[in-house]
Amino acid sequence: MSVTASPAASETSAEAPVTTVATLEPIAEAPASAEAAHGDAHTTSTGHGEDHASGGLPQFQTEHWAGQMVWLVVIFTVLFILIAKVFAPRLRNVIDTRGATIAEDLANARAIRDEAEAQAKDAAAETAAAHAAARKLAADAKSKATAEMAAAQAKEDARLNGILAEAEASIRAKRDEALAHVTEIATDTASALVEKLTGKAPTKTALTAALKKS
């Protein structure tokens, strides 16, 4: 028995794809392909894990050295820039400030030392001048005292000499006076004796001549 398709049915059949066993194969194969790909990925990851496990640390594997060198250069550059631009200037500023402070303190100490030495020299000069003035004053006082003592001594000597001269003059006068009285007494005594012996009083001229001869 033959079946005649209507024109509408023919158009519908021409437009819609006919599902056959051939067309169903890709659909059936797609999940299998996905499972195979998943299995391959798992196998690959497992293989990498085994490689990592067998190769040790990544930093000791040569395929990672390029990245490590890059990071090493980057870190070294950053550290160098930080040291050169931040830490070194601050450290240099601290060292310069400390050096300037030490130099200023040393300069102040030297100035104080020089001032102390100058004051010590001035004090020594003043002390020497005071000693010289004291010695001069003592010498002047001694000279003045000696001069005053000499003047007083000379004055006292002059006074004593005057007193001695007066005393000698008085003694000489008293002696002369006594001698004069002695002559007179002797003359009177001699006259009395002569008169008693001879009965005649001698003359004064004869007695005086006799006394002078004696």
Side-chain angles (χ1 to χ4, degrees):
M1 183 177 66
S2 62
V3 178
T4 304
S6 64
S10 299
E11 291 177 358
T12 305
S13 300
E15 292 176 0
V18 179
T19 303
T20 61
V21 176
T23 57
L24 289 175
E25 283 181 356
I27 299 172
E29 290 176 356
S33 299
E35 291 177 359
H38 181 69
D40 293 338
H42 180 69
T43 304
T44 304
S45 63
T46 305
H48 284 299
E50 292 176 355
D51 292 339
H52 286 299
S54 62
L57 296 174
Q59 56 266 31
F60 294 114
Q61 296 178 3
T62 57
E63 61 268 17
H64 298 296
W65 284 4
Q68 292 176 3
M69 293 298 292
V70 171
W71 279 109
L72 181 63
V73 171
V74 170
I75 293 172
F76 179 78
T77 304
V78 171
L79 289 177
F80 179 78
I81 292 173
L82 286 175
I83 292 173
K85 300 295 183 182
V86 178
F87 298 112
R90 291 181 181 178
L91 183 60
R92 189 179 299 110
N93 187 18
V94 171
I95 293 173
D96 293 340
T97 303
R98 186 173 179 82
T101 303
I102 293 172
E104 184 178 0
D105 293 339
L106 289 175
N108 292 331
R110 292 191 188 95
I112 293 172
R113 182 194 63 189
D114 295 338
E115 184 177 358
E117 289 179 354
Q119 291 180 357
K121 290 180 180 178
D122 293 339
E126 291 177 357
T127 303
H131 287 169
R135 285 193 294 268
K136 185 177 182 301
L137 183 62
D140 293 341
K142 184 177 181 181
S143 300
K144 184 177 180 181
T146 303
E148 290 178 354
M149 188 179 295
Q153 185 68 32
K155 185 177 181 181
E156 187 67 18
D157 290 342
R159 187 179 70 81
L160 292 176
N161 290 331
I163 293 173
L164 289 175
E166 290 178 359
E168 289 177 355
S170 177
I171 290 171
R172 283 193 298 269
K174 295 293 183 182
R175 185 192 61 185
D176 294 340
E177 184 178 358
L179 289 175
H181 289 295
V182 167
T183 303
E184 184 178 355
I185 293 170
T187 303
D188 292 337
T189 303
S191 177
L193 289 173
V194 169
E195 184 178 359
K196 187 175 181 181
L197 291 174
T198 60
K200 183 180 179 181
T203 62
K204 188 174 183 180
T205 303
L207 287 174
T208 302
L211 288 174
K212 285 182 181 181
K213 287 178 182 181
S214 62

